[in-house]
Amino acid sequence: MGDLFNLEPKAAPAGPVECLGMTFPNDEERRKHFLGLLREKLKDPEFRKIEGFPIGSDEDILALSDPPYYTACPNPFIADFIKHFGKPYDPSKPYSREPFATDVSEGKNDPIYNAHSYHTKVPHKAIMRYILHYTEPGDVVLDGFCGTGMTGVAAQACGSPPSDFRSIVEAENAEASMPKWGERKAILCDLSPAATFIANNYNLPIDIGLFEREATRIIKEVETELKWMWETVHSDGRTKGIINFTVWSDVFICPQCSNDVVFFDSAVDEESGKVSSVFPCPHCSTELTKRGLQRRIETHYDKWLGRNIKRSKRVPVLIEYHVGRRSYQKSPDATDLETLRTIEKDIPPHFVPIPELMFRTSEWGDLQRGYHEGITHAHHFYFERTLWALSELENRFENSGVPRLLRLLFTSQLINISKMNRYRPGVSFPYNPMSGTLYVGSQICESNPFTAYRNKIKKFVAAKAQTLVSGAVAISTQSTSFISKQLPPNSIDYIFVDPPFGDNLPYSELSFLWESWLRVHTNTDQEAIISGIQGKGLPEYLSLMQICFSAMHGCLKPGRWMTVEFHNSRNSVWSAIQEALGKAGLVVADVRVLDK
């Protein structure tokens, strides 16, 4: 690996710090000063009317924010950021770039790319190539649909590129003008609080050693306290093992005899994991198919909501556990079932999110795959003991010495250890949620959360060791449609955007679980999407995209470039994007393939 990969990010300085031309005794005083300003701003009713202002209380927004670099609401400091870092437009200085002429292909097996999942993501090294081509060191780059903030990582990485990447880029430009290496500044904007929260953690310096120590300590403490929830009795009847994962199965009703049919027991081959298309009822031997069965619905008292609910019946059918370094499998016994009943009696002492699902209808939002009877609120996506672990971990992470990156570690596994994790036989520690959906299958793998988080620490350390960032990034949570009212005209040197893909992904629904734990939700009024649930078709999508492109164009210096990375298999959606660009006054100069 190159030079950048061997550099450890610097911790926030303990002594005086400079921020936007001001000097503070330490970084905590910097945060205190700007949080005070943001708190006052949040009291202004007009500020809360900004397009895309997220849904959340002042305290929750402040708890997520780290101004002036990042705010979990519209960032009131980005004009100051431009004033401090930007270069005023000077028409006497020539600028000319031909369209970027090199096909770009960057893999997804990069630690930075894989540290935290997201619905769509462009590898930062791919973005670096465009930034190097279209900008100079010190230029300001804007990404109005920033997602996880890879444009910010790319802009900063141009200052300290890995030697192998640098060699490749310089070889590609051997017969043309060489790129000018040097850090660029970035302004990042997204409607989703989950996205900007992830982007913030990728783009600010962190003491990675302190993070690793704190994460390891807290996970070990909580695991020790809640160990009894994941203990199971070994086959010798005496030794206690620790559960790796528990498989839960849907229960169906035989249409012939009306008895329960446990799907895993009747239709699944345990060794291969293959599901039979036709299988016999264990009671009357009638041949059955999953499509022809109804799920067993049970009444359950929801202690979080304080009322009875109807939900699909699921039962534990298989436990994999370890004693020492050796793993074993067993069927749940009476002690295991009693442990589960004991856990259900109490409520964790700390926060558990219980907001109702967005756009909940009989069709279950835009994500209609899967069977979600009884899954109406955020906590329904988790089994009881997983909620206990998450509640304890989240509380201690928040009160640790490095809460920001620890909160990112926390959100990174919220999908993998939810009920969306499908069972895969033969995988030692399976994570198998279906990408781009909130699908809950008929065989759920309830994985040990402590193992999940320990495994993730290693990936975070590897990712942060590859990002030498200075924090020269401003991040805002809002609609891009308002950006031209915050930034001076002719102030941005280059724009790279990866906009929403129409009807491919319902971003706000997919971010629901993350944002439920972060306590700040996407405001969908300005979400550019084709969605029957939101009442937005292609015309509404086109209109919102045109407004956003126009706003970004208004900030761009004359003669400068915008790169739009876009994929949708429907020609009508791509045509809408081109039309929106045209109406925004932008000319499509080149169409190329960016292999994501």
Side-chain angles (χ1 to χ4, degrees):
M1 291 187 175
D3 300 333
L4 174 61
F5 296 0
N6 297 319
L7 293 172
E8 182 172 314
K10 296 178 181 178
V17 296
E18 191 275 338
C19 180
L20 300 186
M22 292 178 279
T23 301
F24 299 91
N26 51 56
D27 200 53
E28 188 57 36
E29 287 300 313
R30 183 270 308 169
R31 291 192 71 249
K32 182 179 179 181
H33 170 78
F34 285 104
L35 279 172
L37 295 178
L38 182 59
R39 184 182 294 276
E40 289 302 310
K41 195 71 176 175
L42 287 167
K43 296 177 182 178
D44 181 0
E46 294 303 311
F47 181 61
R48 282 188 164 272
K49 292 179 182 178
I50 291 176
E51 289 99 326
F53 196 101
I55 301 168
S57 70
D58 287 4
E59 292 307 313
D60 288 333
I61 289 171
L62 289 165
L64 267 190
S65 300
D66 186 19
Y69 306 115
Y70 161 60
T71 57
C73 63
N75 192 330
F77 308 106
I78 57 176
D80 298 324
F81 182 90
I82 280 286
K83 183 178 180 180
H84 184 73
F85 287 114
K87 295 178 287 187
Y89 171 60
D90 184 352
S92 66
K93 290 186 177 181
Y95 172 87
S96 179
R97 295 289 193 281
E98 293 299 317
F100 186 57
T102 304
D103 286 330
V104 175
S105 179
E106 292 290 344
K108 300 180 180 180
N109 294 322
D110 187 282
I112 299 173
Y113 189 92
N114 292 318
H116 198 297
S117 63
Y118 195 66
H119 327 306
T120 58
K121 195 185 298 184
V122 180
H124 74 284
K125 292 179 188 174
I127 305 173
M128 284 176 70
R129 293 168 178 267
Y130 288 87
I131 292 175
L132 288 166
H133 178 76
Y134 288 115
T135 69
E136 302 281 336
D139 281 356
V140 179
V141 179
L142 170 66
D143 187 343
F145 302 99
C146 74
T148 59
M150 291 298 103
T151 298
V153 173
Q156 296 184 82
C158 287
S160 300
S163 58
D164 53 352
F165 177 82
R166 179 171 184 153
S167 298
I168 293 170
V169 171
E170 290 182 349
E172 291 172 350
N173 291 273
E175 298 179 2
S177 59
M178 282 291 177
K180 294 182 180 179
W181 302 100
E183 183 183 69
R184 280 72 166 166
K185 316 301 181 184
I187 293 177
L188 309 178
C189 175
D190 203 282
L191 197 65
S192 166
T196 57
F197 169 75
I198 298 170
N200 169 57
N201 281 280
Y202 272 128
N203 280 280
L204 287 181
I206 187 74
D207 185 333
I208 198 65
L210 177 59
F211 158 76
E212 186 174 15
R213 292 191 298 273
E214 282 288 276
T216 302
R217 175 185 65 80
I218 291 170
I219 291 168
K220 184 177 180 179
E221 286 180 358
V222 177
E223 182 178 31
T224 299
E225 292 176 17
L226 301 183
K227 181 180 178 180
W228 65 274
M229 295 186 182
W230 278 271
E231 286 183 331
T232 188
V233 179
H234 189 38
S235 57
D236 62 9
R238 301 184 307 275
T239 308
K240 289 186 178 181
I242 298 298
I243 295 173
N244 298 330
F245 61 82
T246 301
V247 180
W248 293 72
S249 172
D250 272 351
V251 179
F252 293 93
I253 304 171
C254 174
Q256 184 66 31
C257 67
S258 299
N259 284 311
D260 284 358
V261 178
V262 178
F263 184 70
F264 181 87
D265 294 339
S266 300
V268 180
D269 184 297
E270 284 193 41
E271 291 188 6
S272 66
K274 292 184 179 179
V275 178
S276 301
S277 57
V278 180
F279 49 92
C281 170
H283 307 285
C284 67
S285 300
T286 299
E287 286 196 345
L288 307 172
T289 63
K290 183 180 179 182
R291 188 177 294 274
L293 292 174
Q294 289 185 336
R295 286 171 170 80
R296 175 71 71 185
I297 304 300
E298 64 180 5
T299 299
H300 170 75
Y301 180 74
D302 189 322
K303 61 190 179 186
W304 312 97
L305 301 180
R307 57 180 169 82
N308 287 330
I309 64 169
K310 300 287 186 180
R311 68 179 187 182
S312 297
K313 183 177 180 180
R314 296 185 176 92
V315 294
V317 292
L318 177 70
I319 292 175
E320 179 173 299
Y321 64 100
H322 66 271
V323 177
R325 295 188 176 184
R326 187 173 178 182
S327 292
Y328 304 87
Q329 290 190 346
K330 58 177 277 191
S331 297
D333 56 33
T335 302
D336 298 315
L337 299 178
E338 180 58 31
T339 297
L340 293 174
R341 285 191 289 269
T342 301
I343 294 169
E344 285 194 346
K345 293 177 182 178
D346 294 318
I347 290 180
H350 306 298
F351 173 76
V352 168
I354 58 172
E356 191 170 18
L357 282 162
M358 304 167 64
F359 316 118
R360 187 169 64 83
T361 69
S362 59
E363 296 296 334
W364 213 76
D366 286 308
L367 302 173
Q368 299 177 23
R369 284 177 285 183
Y371 192 84
H372 299 94
E373 180 73 32
I375 298 181
T376 59
H377 294 69
H379 63 290
H380 293 152
F381 279 93
Y382 301 96
F383 292 104
E384 292 282 344
R385 59 184 158 197
T386 303
L387 277 175
W388 270 89
L390 289 174
S391 179
E392 286 290 344
L393 287 170
E394 197 261 357
N395 177 65
R396 299 190 197 198
F397 284 166
E398 180 62 22
N399 292 291
S400 70
V402 280
R404 312 204 66 75
L405 192 58
L406 283 174
R407 288 188 87 175
L408 186 69
L409 172 68
F410 179 79
T411 59
S412 71
Q413 293 289 40
L414 289 177
I415 305 302
N416 287 333
I417 59 176
S418 73
K419 291 179 182 177
M420 291 182 281
N421 186 22
R422 299 172 295 166
Y423 173 55
R424 289 188 300 170
V427 179
S428 60
F429 199 77
Y431 302 133
N432 194 33
M434 186 179 290
S435 176
T437 74
L438 295 178
Y439 177 77
V440 177
S442 293
Q443 301 173 76
I444 301 170
C445 182
E446 180 197 11
S447 297
N448 186 309
F450 307 112
T451 304
Y453 280 111
R454 269 195 300 271
N455 290 344
K456 202 67 171 181
I457 291 173
K458 303 171 187 175
K459 294 184 178 181
F460 267 71
V461 171
K464 291 303 289 185
Q466 290 193 22
T467 50
L468 187 65
V469 294
S470 65
V473 173
I475 304 172
S476 186
T477 310
Q478 62 179 80
S479 172
T480 304
S481 61
F482 194 78
I483 200 77
S484 60
K485 298 176 184 177
Q486 297 164 287
L487 295 176
N490 306 334
S491 59
I492 297 296
D493 298 290
Y494 172 62
I495 298 172
F496 184 97
V497 289
D498 179 19
F501 300 155
D503 56 355
N504 278 13
L505 292 168
Y507 288 85
S508 56
E509 285 189 72
L510 292 172
S511 296
F512 174 76
L513 280 183
W514 292 329
E515 294 178 357
S516 293
W517 284 97
L518 294 174
R519 303 167 175 81
V520 184
H521 284 271
T522 298
N523 183 334
T524 59
D525 290 346
Q526 294 294 312
E527 185 175 18
I529 189 174
I530 298 172
S531 164
I533 297 300
Q534 292 193 38
K536 296 174 184 175
L538 190 61
E540 288 78 16
Y541 172 73
L542 169 61
S543 175
L544 284 167
M545 292 304 297
Q546 178 190 334
I547 293 170
C548 290
F549 285 140
S550 295
M552 287 186 283
H553 186 201
C555 306
L556 191 63
K557 292 177 180 177
R560 298 303 181 104
W561 285 82
M562 172 194 286
T563 298
V564 180
E565 194 286 319
F566 189 82
H567 173 75
N568 189 300
S569 58
R570 289 174 57 192
N571 288 333
S572 59
V573 178
W574 170 234
S575 297
I577 285 291
Q578 291 179 297
E579 183 179 347
L581 288 166
K583 289 183 176 179
L586 293 154
V587 178
V588 178
D590 187 30
V591 178
R592 303 194 64 77
V593 175
L594 173 59
D595 182 2
K596 296 178 66 180

